[in-house]
Amino acid sequence: QVRLVESGGGSVQAGGSLRLSCVASGLPFSLYNLAWFRQAPGKEREGVASVTLDGDLPGPTSYADSVKGRFTVSRDNAKNTLYLQMNTLRPEDTATYSCAADLNPWSLMPNYYYWGQGTRVTVSS
């Protein structure tokens, strides 16, 4: 059974930082393309950051324009873990953040097969 479990969410003031983690089990992690998505109340799901594969190494990353320069996505294949370092957080970053995995390189498109349940991030002004 495939599981993606996010952690690291919480409440923070504007300008603060959080680091999200997504631990995967039940799949060959190093073979999967990975991404972070977020969804705020009343809004559509938005692709935030993705990291694809380049052979056995982490490949190109992609970011939503709204988070470029503030968020960094990374993966640790040895730990089956995907990370999202979020700096200089803004109130508009408030959302539930979910990780996703797929054998296809969907980048920021929400076509991933496997999804986690999400972790809540709240940024106050």
Side-chain angles (χ1 to χ4, degrees):
Q1 182 181 1
V2 174
R3 293 190 69 199
L4 301 177
V5 181
E6 302 93 339
S7 63
S11 297
V12 64
Q13 289 193 329
S17 298
L18 285 173
R19 188 194 196 200
L20 305 184
S21 298
C22 170
V23 178
S25 60
L27 52 74
F29 185 81
S30 63
L31 299 182
Y32 276 72
N33 300 283
L34 307 167
W36 286 99
F37 288 79
R38 67 185 181 187
Q39 188 165 20
K43 294 188 177 181
E44 292 189 356
R45 179 182 284 168
E46 174 190 20
V48 175
S50 69
V51 54
T52 56
L53 298 172
D54 182 8
D56 294 332
L57 300 175
T61 56
S62 297
Y63 295 92
D65 287 342
S66 58
V67 306
K68 282 180 181 177
R70 301 188 298 123
F71 290 11
T72 302
V73 63
S74 62
R75 63 189 294 167
D76 185 338
N77 289 343
K79 296 182 177 180
N80 284 8
T81 303
L82 174 71
Y83 301 100
L84 184 68
Q85 178 66 44
M86 306 187 296
N87 298 328
T88 320
L89 283 161
R90 304 168 180 169
E92 54 264 38
D93 294 320
T94 295
T96 296
Y97 286 72
S98 301
C99 61
D102 199 289
L103 290 172
N104 294 304
W106 294 114
S107 185
L108 300 181
M109 293 186 291
N111 299 333
Y112 288 75
Y113 190 81
Y114 295 112
W115 292 83
Q117 291 297 311
T119 185
R120 180 73 178 169
V121 171
T122 302
V123 184
S124 58
S125 57

